[in-house]
Amino acid sequence: MPSPRAGFAVGALLSVAAVGAALVSQHVYDMQPCPWCVLQRLVFVAIAAACVLGLLWTGRAGRAAAALLTLALAAGGVASAVYQNQVAAKSESCAFTFPERFIAATGLDGWLPDVFQARASCIDAAVDLLGVPYEFYSLALFLLIGAGSIALLRRG
């Protein structure tokens, strides 16, 4: 198993890459995000920050705290992706749902609208890529990051 530093670095890079892929999808391929998509972007940003914390806080307690935070965020991301696929993508409107209210409360949609502003309804944002719902790619990455967090926790 790689070192904890390498594990945190990979987690941060994967999270930043996920947000980068989402932005390319939006701005190059005109795949506009729904509120659940935007929430998942925010979760990936938070995971990257937690991983950076794990890189900077080098003691055993610090690594454990960062790994636990990363695991909790990844679990939230899993829940978000599953909910998006099972409920939101089948709804006519996702207006005034938790992610929309949360992002608005943070002010991120006004501060960085090109990244955090929802621009499509959930049903309009339901897109398949290579026959796989787009949110399943996020789901797979959240699961991978969660598994990496568990490995970091077990390593101690």
Side-chain angles (χ1 to χ4, degrees):
M1 169 156 192
S3 72
R5 289 186 57 80
F8 284 120
V10 167
L13 289 173
L14 287 174
S15 296
V16 169
V19 175
L23 292 173
V24 167
S25 297
Q26 176 182 345
H27 296 290
V28 175
Y29 298 106
D30 198 33
M31 296 170 64
Q32 298 304 313
C34 73
W36 289 97
C37 301
V38 172
L39 180 65
Q40 289 169 49
R41 290 179 187 185
L42 182 57
V43 172
F44 279 122
V45 169
I47 288 172
C51 288
V52 169
L53 178 67
L55 285 169
L56 298 175
W57 195 0
T58 58
R60 176 170 259 162
R63 285 194 313 261
L68 277 172
L69 179 57
T70 301
L71 179 59
L73 289 164
V78 166
S80 175
V82 169
Y83 186 88
Q84 179 181 355
N85 180 267
Q86 296 298 309
V87 178
K90 296 168 179 67
S91 301
E92 288 297 320
S93 172
C94 49
F96 305 113
T97 57
F98 170 75
E100 189 172 58
R101 290 191 316 265
F102 183 79
I103 296 293
T106 65
L108 288 171
D109 56 339
W111 186 54
L112 287 170
D114 287 343
V115 179
F116 294 114
Q117 187 177 68
R119 297 176 183 210
S121 71
C122 293
I123 205 160
D124 292 335
V127 176
D128 287 359
L129 180 64
L130 302 174
V132 177
Y134 205 69
E135 61 273 13
F136 280 2
Y137 292 98
S138 291
L139 174 66
L141 191 52
F142 286 130
L143 289 170
L144 180 66
I145 290 169
S149 299
I150 290 169
L152 286 170
L153 285 166
R154 294 177 115 195
R155 183 167 185 178

